[in-house]
């Protein structure tokens, strides 16, 4: 093969390579910056593309706020001494008689594990059925004494409220010990009951406590139990307490250190923190002028951001962060990421050019190799 033929072959290969590259789309991680802007409402697309500035940052800085409703906060403290259906009692009776009704002379009669039935009554020999629920141990003692006094002289009665299943709460989730716990004098408040269950087994920063009471459900950040006294509510019998980690996530895609679904590690997270969580920008691929946040924005916020008042329903919003601007890093530090956001970093323009050159040079190298072989 002579030199002219070799040049002709290379020229044919170059033209063919360019044609192939032009006819197909080179691999990439997603749309480029130009394509995203082309899809904006301003250009007959279906999403509003908004450059982030201090005004936009303030308008979109909405953090989830949880707290117990007034129904939960205004509930009074449960009287720990009040006997309830399901409680277990211990009774001791002393009789001042040589012929006692219940036991041996001059000896105490102990009745252990006396269960309060569903109707709230207990049975005491020679005293019959006595209403226990709703009474304190002292008032029940007086009631039993009056019943026995008619049959034995000067009876002495002691009533003890044992651990039972009357006033209890159930605790599940990320606690030291899941289970059913009685409401007692030291554990009538939520924080004390959580301590009784062995404390929290997850990072307090993202721990949430949900109370289910009948048909009502309410939740609060764990930290608020200690920051706001009103959040440390009084418990009620049959409350169900669920302790779980924050379930919010966002998605990171494009030219970042990793592409994944990311859980929130703190109550709030900024765009800079979100990028740092996935390894930052890929220095070989990323375009720092093209950091986008895709979000379905509630109409109330979208109207403020866009300076309008006519939008209805959730709006597709694409927020643009340019990290190369003088205050770009500060803006990204202040811009809050929210649940279900998609953080997408575009590739730098030269990356596609590099891929194109690579796609062209590979067949040319093959041609040179074949030419050398034939020569």
């Amino acid at each position: 093969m002579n030199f002219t033929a070799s040049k002709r072959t290379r020229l044919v290969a170059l033209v063919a390579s360019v044609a192939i590259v032009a006819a197909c789309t080179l691999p990439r991680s997603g749309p480029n910056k130009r394509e995203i802007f082309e899809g904006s409402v301003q250009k007959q697309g279906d999403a509003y593309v908004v450059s982030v500035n201090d005004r936009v940052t303030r308008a979109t800085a909405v953090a989830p706020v949880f707290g117990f409703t007034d129904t939960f906060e205004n509930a009074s403290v449960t009287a720990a001494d009040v006997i309830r259906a399901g409680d277990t009692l211990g009774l001791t009776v002393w009789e001042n008689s040589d012929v006692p009704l219940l036991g041996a002379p001059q000896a105490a009669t102990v009745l252990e594990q006396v269960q309060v039935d569903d109707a709230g009554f207990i049975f005491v020999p020679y005293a019959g059925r006595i209403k226990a629920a709703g009474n304190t141990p002292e008032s029940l003692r007086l009631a039993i004494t009056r019943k026995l006094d008619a049959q034995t002289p000067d009876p002495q009665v002691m009533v003890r409220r044992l651990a039972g299943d009357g006033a209890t709460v159930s605790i599940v989730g990320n606690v030291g010990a899941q289970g059913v716990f009685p409401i007692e004098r030291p554990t009538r408040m939520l924080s004390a009951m959580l301590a009784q269950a062995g404390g929290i087994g997850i990072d307090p920063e993202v721990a949430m406590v949900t109370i289910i009471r009948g048909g009502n459900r309410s939740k609060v950040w764990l930290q608020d139990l200690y920051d706001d006294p009103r959040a440390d509510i009084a418990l009620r019998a049959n409350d169900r307490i669920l302790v779980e980690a924050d379930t919010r996530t966002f998605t990171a895609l494009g030219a970042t250190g990793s592409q994944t679904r990311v859980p929130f590690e703190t109550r709030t997270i900024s765009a800079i923190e979100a990028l740092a969580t996935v390894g930052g920008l890929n220095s070989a691929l990323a375009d720092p002028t093209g950091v986008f946040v895709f979000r379905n924005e509630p109409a109330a916020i979208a109207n403020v951001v866009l300076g309008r008042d006519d939008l209805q329903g959730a709006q597709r919003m694409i927020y643009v962060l340019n990290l190369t601007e003088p205050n770009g890093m500060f803006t990204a530090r202040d811009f809050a990421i929210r649940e279900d956001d998609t953080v997408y970093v575009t590739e730098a323009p030269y990356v596609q050019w590099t891929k194109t050159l690579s796609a062209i040079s590979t067949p040319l190298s093959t041609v040179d190799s074949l030419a050398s072989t034939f020569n």
Side-chain angles (χ1 to χ4, degrees), residues 225-245:
L225 291 182
Y226 308 100
D227 295 341
D228 184 357
R230 294 174 300 175
D232 193 11
I233 61 172
L235 297 174
R236 286 285 178 271
N238 302 317
D239 278 354
R240 288 173 288 169
I241 303 172
L242 170 63
V243 179
E244 59 184 345

Side-chain angles (χ1 to χ4, degrees), residues 300-324:
I301 298 176
N303 277 315
V304 174
V305 170
L306 298 172
R308 301 172 57 165
D309 59 7
D310 60 328
L311 297 175
Q312 301 291 326
Q315 302 295 315
R316 290 181 175 179
M317 305 287 287
I318 303 175
Y319 296 103
V320 189
L321 292 159
N322 183 350
L323 302 185
T324 65

Side-chain angles (χ1 to χ4, degrees), residues 40-119:
S40 67
V41 171
Q42 296 90 324
K43 295 190 176 182
Q44 310 306 312
D46 61 355
Y48 293 95
V49 179
V50 178
S51 295
V52 177
N53 53 32
D54 292 340
R55 183 188 65 82
V56 172
T57 296
R58 289 191 297 269
T60 57
V62 179
V65 177
F66 302 110
F68 292 124
T69 62
D70 292 342
T71 302
F72 286 84
E73 289 188 355
N74 295 334
S76 59
V77 176
T78 299
D81 290 338
V82 174
I83 299 169
R84 296 173 177 80
D87 279 350
T88 302
L89 306 177
L91 307 180
T92 305
V93 180
W94 289 267
E95 298 181 60
N96 185 20
S97 173
D98 293 335
V99 187
L101 294 171
L102 302 175
Q106 308 303 320
T109 301
V110 179
L111 303 175
E112 293 286 8
Q113 302 295 318
V114 178
Q115 187 79 30
V116 182
D117 64 23
D118 290 342

Side-chain angles (χ1 to χ4, degrees), residues 27-366:
R28 50 180 174 161
S29 58
N32 57 38
K33 187 165 64 173
R34 179 186 58 78
E35 290 168 334
I36 293 175
F37 277 98
E38 287 294 332
S40 67
V41 171
Q42 296 90 324
K43 295 190 176 182
Q44 310 306 312
D46 61 355
Y48 293 95
V49 179
V50 178
S51 295
V52 177
N53 53 32
D54 292 340
R55 183 188 65 82
V56 172
T57 296
R58 289 191 297 269
T60 57
V62 179
V65 177
F66 302 110
F68 292 124
T69 62
D70 292 342
T71 302
F72 286 84
E73 289 188 355
N74 295 334
S76 59
V77 176
T78 299
D81 290 338
V82 174
I83 299 169
R84 296 173 177 80
D87 279 350
T88 302
L89 306 177
L91 307 180
T92 305
V93 180
W94 289 267
E95 298 181 60
N96 185 20
S97 173
D98 293 335
V99 187
L101 294 171
L102 302 175
Q106 308 303 320
T109 301
V110 179
L111 303 175
E112 293 286 8
Q113 302 295 318
V114 178
Q115 187 79 30
V116 182
D117 64 23
D118 290 342
F121 287 84
I122 61 171
F123 175 78
V124 179
Y126 298 101
R129 280 169 57 82
I130 299 176
K131 181 72 171 180
N135 289 313
T136 64
E138 174 61 18
S139 61
L140 179 59
R141 183 190 72 81
L142 294 174
I144 296 173
T145 299
R146 286 193 297 269
K147 290 279 189 176
L148 292 176
D149 191 46
Q151 303 185 58
T152 187
D154 193 25
Q156 303 297 305
V157 180
M158 183 173 71
V159 177
R160 304 183 312 281
R161 185 173 181 269
L162 307 178
D165 60 357
T168 61
V169 301
S170 60
I171 304 179
V172 297
N174 293 288
V175 292
Q178 303 182 74
V180 178
F181 298 85
I183 300 177
E184 300 175 320
R185 186 176 295 276
T187 57
R188 292 181 292 181
M189 308 303 288
L190 176 57
S191 61
M193 186 62 78
L194 291 174
Q196 181 73 9
I200 304 301
I202 54 177
D203 184 357
E205 178 69 24
V206 293
M208 304 185 67
V209 181
T210 301
I211 305 292
I212 304 171
R213 181 175 296 169
N216 297 319
R217 175 191 292 259
S218 196
K219 63 183 175 180
V220 69
W221 293 105
L222 173 68
Q223 193 60 44
D224 288 345
L225 291 182
Y226 308 100
D227 295 341
D228 184 357
R230 294 174 300 175
D232 193 11
I233 61 172
L235 297 174
R236 286 285 178 271
N238 302 317
D239 278 354
R240 288 173 288 169
I241 303 172
L242 170 63
V243 179
E244 59 184 345
D246 184 9
T247 58
R248 293 175 300 154
T249 61
F250 69 91
T251 303
L253 297 173
T256 58
S258 63
Q259 302 184 51
T260 183
R261 187 178 182 185
V262 186
F264 278 61
E265 297 179 350
T266 56
R267 289 169 64 167
T268 60
I269 184 170
S270 68
I272 281 292
E273 291 169 329
L275 292 172
T277 301
V278 293
L281 303 184
N282 187 322
S283 59
L285 301 174
D287 178 3
T289 70
V291 178
F292 295 87
V293 178
F294 294 74
R295 174 185 301 166
N296 289 330
E297 196 73 90
I301 298 176
N303 277 315
V304 174
V305 170
L306 298 172
R308 301 172 57 165
D309 59 7
D310 60 328
L311 297 175
Q312 301 291 326
Q315 302 295 315
R316 290 181 175 179
M317 305 287 287
I318 303 175
Y319 296 103
V320 189
L321 292 159
N322 183 350
L323 302 185
T324 65
E325 292 180 343
N327 66 337
M329 296 293 285
F330 287 100
T331 302
R333 186 192 64 181
D334 296 335
F335 184 77
I337 298 300
R338 301 215 300 271
E339 182 178 12
D340 295 330
D341 279 357
T342 298
V343 179
Y344 174 69
V345 179
T346 56
E347 292 181 347
Y350 85 91
V351 174
Q352 284 297 306
W353 174 243
T354 301
K355 291 179 180 178
T356 301
L357 291 179
S358 176
I360 294 173
S361 62
T362 299
L364 291 181
S365 298
T366 302

Side-chain angles (χ1 to χ4, degrees), residues 6 10 362-375:
S6 176
R10 286 175 55 84
T362 299
L364 291 181
S365 298
T366 302
V367 169
D368 285 343
S369 178
L370 291 173
S372 297
T373 301
F374 283 117
N375 286 334

